[in-house]
Amino acid sequence: QVQLVESGGGLVQAGGSLRLSCAASGLAFSNYNMAWFRQAPGKQREFVARITGGGLNTDYRDSVRGRFTISRDNAKGTVYLQMNSLKPEDTSVYSCAAARFGTAYLYWGQGTQVTVSS
C-alpha cells in the first residue's frame, strides 16, 4: 500500500551538492511527519533531518545543520533533502521515512546511495 521511493543519490566530490527526493504514495501525505535517515556500512542508522506535515517545523542533526535543508511539496507528495558542502563523512545510504504521529516511523523507502569523494 504505502510506498516511499528515493532518488537523486550518486557520486559527488567533497564540497559539492546533491538533492535527494522521496516520492510517497498510498498515504495522506500531509498528515505525516517525514524524515531522512542514513546508514553507513558497519554503523547504526542515524537521524539526519525531519519535517512536520505542514512543513512549518524542521530539525537536523548537528553535523548537517547549515549544510542540509529538508523541504516538502504536499501537492506532489514529495519530500526533499538538499545537501550542500558535502563531506566524505556524509557517505551513506540515505532513506526517507514517514510517521503518522511523532517520530514513530512505520514506513521506509529502499534507500539511495550517496558517495562523497575526497
Side-chain angles (χ1 to χ4, degrees):
Q1 286 289 337
V2 174
Q3 191 171 25
L4 306 177
V5 180
E6 301 97 333
S7 61
L11 175 64
V12 65
Q13 292 182 358
S17 298
L18 284 173
R19 188 174 80 153
L20 306 183
S21 298
C22 172
S25 60
L27 77 173
F29 184 69
S30 64
N31 289 339
Y32 283 78
N33 300 321
M34 300 295 297
W36 289 95
F37 292 79
R38 65 189 184 187
Q39 186 169 27
K43 298 223 167 189
Q44 288 211 306
R45 179 179 288 116
E46 64 184 20
F47 165 81
V48 178
R50 69 173 177 89
I51 187 167
T52 52
L56 296 178
N57 300 111
T58 61
D59 194 25
Y60 303 88
R61 72 178 300 107
D62 289 345
S63 62
V64 310
R65 189 174 293 110
R67 299 189 297 123
F68 291 10
T69 303
I70 189 170
S71 62
R72 66 193 295 160
D73 186 336
N74 284 349
K76 295 180 180 177
T78 303
V79 63
Y80 305 95
L81 186 68
Q82 178 67 47
M83 304 185 294
N84 298 327
S85 302
L86 282 161
K87 304 174 180 181
E89 49 263 47
D90 296 318
T91 295
S92 272
V93 174
Y94 285 72
S95 299
C96 67
R100 178 62 181 84
F101 301 103
T103 58
Y105 297 105
L106 301 183
Y107 306 110
W108 294 80
Q110 82 289 349
T112 186
Q113 176 71 47
V114 171
T115 303
V116 184
S117 63
S118 59

